[in-house]
Amino acid sequence: MKINQLLIAAFVGAQFVTASYAADDATNNSTEAAEIAALKQEIQTLDQKVSDLENQRQAQQPVADSADKQQIQDLDQKVRILSRERELDQDAAATAAKSAPKITLGATGLGFSSADSNFVATIHGLIQVDSRTFSQDNHVQGNDSFLLRRARPIITGTVFHDFDFNFTPEFGNATPGATSAASTPSIYDAYINYRYSPWLQLEAGRFKPPVGLEYLQTDTATSFNERSLVSDLIPGRDLGFELHGDIAGGVVSYAAGIFNGVGDNQRNTTDIGFQNDREFDGRLFVQPFKATGIAALQNFGVGAGGSWGSSSITNTLGLPNTTGGGSTSYGFSTDGQQQFFAYSATTVAAHTHWRFSPQGYYYYGPFGLLGEYVISDQGVENSTTLKTANLRNTAWEISGGWVLTGEDAAYNGVTPRHNFDPRNGGWGAWQVVARYAELNVDSAAFPTFASATTSASAAQAWSLGLNWYLNRNIRVNASYSHTTFTGGGAASATTAPASVSSHPESVFFTRVQLAF
Amino acid sequence: MKTFLKILLASSLAISASAKEIKLLNVSYDPTRELYTEYNAAFAKYWKAKTGDDVVISQSHGGSGKQAQSVIAGLEADVVTLALSYDIDAISQQAKILPADWQKRLPNNSTPYTSTIVFLVRKGNPKGIKDWDDLVKPHVSVVVPNPKTSGGARWAYLGAYAYALETYGHDDAKAKDFITKLYKNVPILDSGARGSTITFAQRGIGDVLLAWENEAHLALKEFGADNFEIVTPPLSILAEPPVAVVDKNAKRHGTTEVANEYLKYLYSDEGQEIAAKNFYRPRNQDIAAKYAANFTQLKLVTVDQEFGGWTKAQATHFTDGGVFDQIYQP
């Protein structure tokens, strides 16, 4: 029985009891009948109300259930939609990340790359702060100096996946003791290289011609501050086209090009050729064990480079450069960049000029060895007497090094195993290096084309050095070079080349280098 | 020496006569994965028998508009099989790697099969969706991709718009009001048809998915006919997905001949059968009759009839600032 029904029964019972007591009163019989009728009516009314209430409640219950269910469904859909939107946002973010350009900053420079790596640009830099201290400068003024040897922002990159480029201006390279010691900004490298494949590439612009092994070594990795006497007979950066490539992963490397042509250790600075004739340069280098498992021989390489050019006119631009200070004549310089040999002012380049340079290196573990020989057969003419000759100048060098801290030596430099970080016991990599080099001028040069009383006919140089690689970017060098001469100037001479060649050159170098 | 020369000659001939392996890239839209997976195998077999050469066909799928932009940006498609002609026109006009009259090179305006837009609803059709006007009712949630990126979504949008034009006596204002209401019921826009199918079928969002006819059948097959059912409205749009060789890419790859044959073979009996089996309406009437049970008959209106062609439809509705941008509020 429900509560409502109990209440009604109780109420009716109470009314009935009251009525029973009243019935005892004989005078009220007719009133009693009327009251009972009224009570019955009241009971029916109440019963109807209870019934209506129950019906109403039963009718409202499904409506409430349905509304709740709808609300739950709506909320479920909203949650699902939010979840899906998040999923789509994540997909979109992942897709956008795939197509977003990448920026990297590290030891190899500041790099920008398109998402597919088809377009790449990297900013590199090279700063070399040197000192040169001569123990006997023999009245040559200004050679002891601090100097900004190289200061180059370098931009390299790739466009459309296969086309590489390099743009390297030079803001340093002041020459102590020169007529003008000011640095003149100039473009050193500016070339475009098309890579069809590693073994077939075409390069165009200004870059190093493929002749000398030491000269082709990057400026940041050379063992000493200055390259050896061998590089006095090698062509410097030139303008031209070169076909080159690495076959079988570098087992065979070849390069062949056509260039404007420059004199020994000259650098083409004019952006044009000085004559109609061109110079042909080429190089073949083999590392026969590179792809083998013989670790001791993998970094052994031998090869030869050479050049040939024939000039239909005479000129001075075909002669060596004038680096060395104190003289504007064309000639050869020492490790200290002082001129010890100069052609006479009446000498000009003429006819053919060819070079041949057998070369090789060997690196194994911390040990490294590099050797090179070069013949530079220079056609010359005395513009006064019109006498001509082919002067066969030669040079050779051998240099070696040992990385004291055990890292691998390599043609491309040394990477320290532990960066310089004294707080944590890191001291970088330390390397000792040594070199011997000679340059011999053809005896036929004297006296028609050069003065035997001012220029040396030969130079012999030995060098010792200590290189400290603090990390991949910072290197500190210290070295000592001693050069002796055959022939040359009088002891009292005050201008190069006589003042230089009159006594041995002893020079102490230091360098602090940043390269990234 | 003679023997050596004979061996050398025989070797040369053998090398020159050996089979080539040809690589082809088909850049297509979202729901054609299954169609072209089957068709590529059939064509490779046909081509091998005909020429002896092996042809390896790679497929790329995505929203039709996005795929077209990828080709314009340099994706080296030998052929494109996209959702609508406007997208291939865009490739022709912007990248200039196929001629403007590309659509005249194959029969039926280079559309070897057609399709339409249908409704995929949940089993039992709880919202009682039968026609387009059911989609604008309150509390009906509609799932459809973004017409800015998806070809199928553009067909769906135009199908709805065409219904409104037909229903309201080509009163454009009323049609615009109708499409506004419809997109108010769209809670989420995926970038492609396959994404919307996932939203509806796998994520359980919405009451109805506006889908390619073949995509709806695929959803039934993949997600269970006991979970969904297809509702074909009395009127919808005739979708004509076109195909074209990307001339300059094919020429550069040396694939012009095989690319052309690849598309022509879509019109062959085998190509048409594969299309029909994958719920694309074949152009070949005999094969269409054979697979009539796959396709519910309905009134199909064309873009040319209702909207004056794709160029005009695109400019009016889907370019930035067009009708879709005006009516859709995310």
Side-chain angles (χ1 to χ4, degrees), chain B residues 41 108 185 187 234:
Chain B
N108 305 110
N185 283 350

Side-chain angles (χ1 to χ4, degrees), chain B residues 5-283:
Chain B
L5 287 173
K6 280 179 186 173
I7 292 168
L8 193 65
L9 183 62
S11 303
S12 304
L13 289 172
I15 290 165
S16 62
S18 63
K20 289 186 290 185
E21 182 179 288
I22 304 162
K23 290 182 179 172
L24 214 58
L25 175 61
N26 175 5
V27 173
S28 194
Y29 60 109
D30 235 353
T32 58
R33 288 175 176 83
E34 294 74 19
L35 165 67
Y36 281 106
T37 298
E38 188 176 350
Y39 176 74
N40 291 345
F43 178 75
K45 192 176 171 187
Y46 159 76
W47 193 250
K48 178 77 174 174
K50 184 179 178 182
T51 65
D53 293 339
D54 294 310
V55 58
V56 178
I57 303 146
S58 302
Q59 299 171 218
S60 169
H61 297 273
S64 185
K66 283 177 77 175
Q67 291 291 84
Q69 286 305 314
S70 295
V71 174
I72 290 165
L75 181 60
E76 296 260 343
D78 298 282
V79 298
V80 284
T81 54
L82 295 181
L84 43 93
S85 60
Y86 179 82
D87 289 334
I88 302 182
D89 281 339
I91 296 171
S92 169
Q93 288 162 11
Q94 294 176 40
K96 304 197 185 306
I97 49 181
L98 74 164
D101 64 347
W102 60 270
Q103 211 161 0
K104 294 178 182 171
R105 298 192 296 194
L106 289 169
N108 305 110
N109 285 326
S110 292
T111 54
Y113 42 78
T114 65
S115 189
T116 190
I117 300 298
V118 298
F119 307 153
L120 187 70
V121 298
R122 303 197 184 279
K123 192 66 179 177
N125 195 1
K127 293 290 173 81
I129 294 163
K130 298 291 181 192
D131 205 347
W132 293 95
D133 56 355
D134 292 320
L135 307 181
V136 300
K137 289 177 179 172
H139 305 301
V140 171
S141 179
V142 181
V143 176
V144 64
N146 189 343
K148 292 276 191 177
T149 54
S150 161
R154 271 175 277 178
W155 287 114
Y157 172 100
L158 293 180
Y161 212 99
Y163 165 83
L165 289 172
E166 293 282 328
T167 303
Y168 301 117
H170 288 86
D171 184 328
D172 198 59
K174 286 183 178 174
K176 197 170 172 181
D177 183 54
F178 176 85
I179 206 83
T180 304
K181 286 177 182 167
L182 193 157
Y183 276 89
K184 274 186 180 168
N185 283 350
V186 176
I188 192 166
L189 287 176
D190 287 273
S191 63
R194 189 54 54 94
S196 281
T197 304
I198 290 168
T199 296
F200 180 74
Q202 284 192 320
R203 303 293 183 266
I205 294 170
D207 302 305
V208 53
L209 170 70
L210 307 192
W212 288 97
E213 188 174 37
N214 65 291
E215 186 77 355
H217 282 282
L218 188 74
L220 285 190
K221 191 175 165 185
E222 191 171 340
F223 302 111
D226 51 344
N227 293 320
F228 304 101
E229 57 188 74
I230 294 171
V231 172
T232 304
L235 177 147
S236 192
I237 194 100
L238 177 67
E240 297 176 295
V243 300
V245 172
V246 185
D247 296 45
K248 286 195 177 174
N249 289 350
K251 187 178 178 184
R252 189 163 55 249
H253 304 156
T255 56
T256 301
E257 183 192 2
V258 68
N260 277 309
E261 289 301 316
Y262 176 74
L263 296 186
K264 281 181 188 171
Y265 197 66
L266 283 166
Y267 293 85
S268 71
D269 287 353
E270 186 178 20
Q272 292 283 287
E273 286 235 18
I274 291 170
K277 279 194 278 186
N278 283 277
F279 298 97
Y280 291 87
R281 298 182 177 227
R283 291 289 194 182

Side-chain angles (χ1 to χ4, degrees), chain A residues 48-344:
Chain A
Q48 184 61 45
K49 282 183 179 175
V50 169
S51 178
D52 289 348
L53 282 169
E54 282 187 342
N55 289 338
Q56 189 180 349
R57 196 178 67 173
Q58 284 171 0
Q60 284 176 344
Q61 190 65 37
V63 172
D65 287 349
S66 175
D68 288 347
K69 193 176 175 186
Q70 183 62 46
Q71 197 171 10
I72 289 168
Q73 283 179 349
D74 288 348
L75 285 171
D76 175 65
Q77 281 290 295
K78 282 181 182 173
V79 169
R80 286 171 187 267
I81 289 165
L82 286 171
S83 173
R84 179 64 171 155
E85 281 178 340
R86 186 166 177 271
E87 193 179 358
L88 293 176
D89 286 346
Q90 286 173 339
D91 288 349
T95 305
K98 282 180 190 170
S99 59
K102 299 168 195 163
I103 299 175
T104 57
L105 178 63
T108 54
L110 174 61
F112 306 87
S113 169
S114 62
D116 57 7
S117 300
N118 279 340
F119 295 85
V120 178
T122 308
I123 298 172
H124 307 277
L126 171 62
I127 296 171
Q128 292 175 341
V129 182
D130 287 13
S131 75
R132 294 173 189 162
T133 305
F134 294 84
S135 61
Q136 302 170 50
D137 59 13
N138 197 33
H139 312 301
V140 177
Q141 298 297 313
N143 275 351
D144 289 356
S145 179
F146 295 118
L147 67 150
L148 198 55
R149 181 67 176 87
R150 293 181 177 89
R152 300 176 184 172
I154 301 166
I155 302 171
T156 62
T158 301
V159 295
F160 285 101
H161 190 266
D162 297 328
F163 297 87
D164 304 324
F165 65 87
N166 181 312
F167 179 71
T168 305
E170 171 67 271
F171 293 89
N173 201 25
T175 305
T179 306
S180 168
S183 299
T184 304
S186 60
I187 297 169
Y188 263 48
D189 288 308
Y191 61 80
I192 300 153
N193 181 57
Y194 170 64
R195 267 182 295 104
Y196 177 78
S197 73
W199 53 270
L200 186 61
Q201 304 182 51
L202 180 65
E203 193 166 329
R206 174 184 288 158
F207 49 93
K208 293 178 178 178
V211 179
L213 180 65
E214 183 191 48
Y215 186 71
L216 288 169
Q217 190 173 30
T218 178
D219 294 321
T220 60
T222 52
S223 297
F224 292 88
N225 279 29
E226 301 298 338
R227 291 184 171 84
S228 73
L229 294 168
V230 161
S231 289
D232 274 345
L233 302 184
I234 296 292
R237 286 176 169 84
D238 201 357
L239 274 161
F241 290 80
E242 177 187 287
L243 199 65
H244 67 110
D246 292 328
I247 300 169
V251 171
V252 177
S253 299
Y254 74 92
I258 177 170
F259 296 85
N260 278 341
V262 289
D264 290 337
N265 205 20
Q266 279 266 26
R267 179 173 61 86
N268 188 313
T269 58
T270 57
D271 297 329
I272 57 170
F274 53 78
Q275 56 181 347
N276 290 334
D277 307 297
R278 297 287 169 261
E279 183 173 285
F280 300 92
D281 295 10
R283 179 171 177 265
L284 184 69
F285 197 77
V286 182
Q287 298 175 85
F289 305 101
K290 185 180 174 74
T292 70
I294 309 169
L297 295 174
Q298 280 177 337
N299 292 311
F300 165 70
V302 290
S307 69
W308 184 89
S310 179
S311 176
S312 57
I313 60 169
T314 58
N315 55 73
T316 54
L317 294 170
L319 294 177
N321 70 9
T322 59
T323 301
S327 170
T328 55
S329 301
Y330 305 97
F332 304 126
S333 303
T334 61
D335 289 2
Q337 304 300 292
Q338 301 191 100
Q339 194 176 63
F340 68 90
F341 168 85
Y343 285 105
S344 301

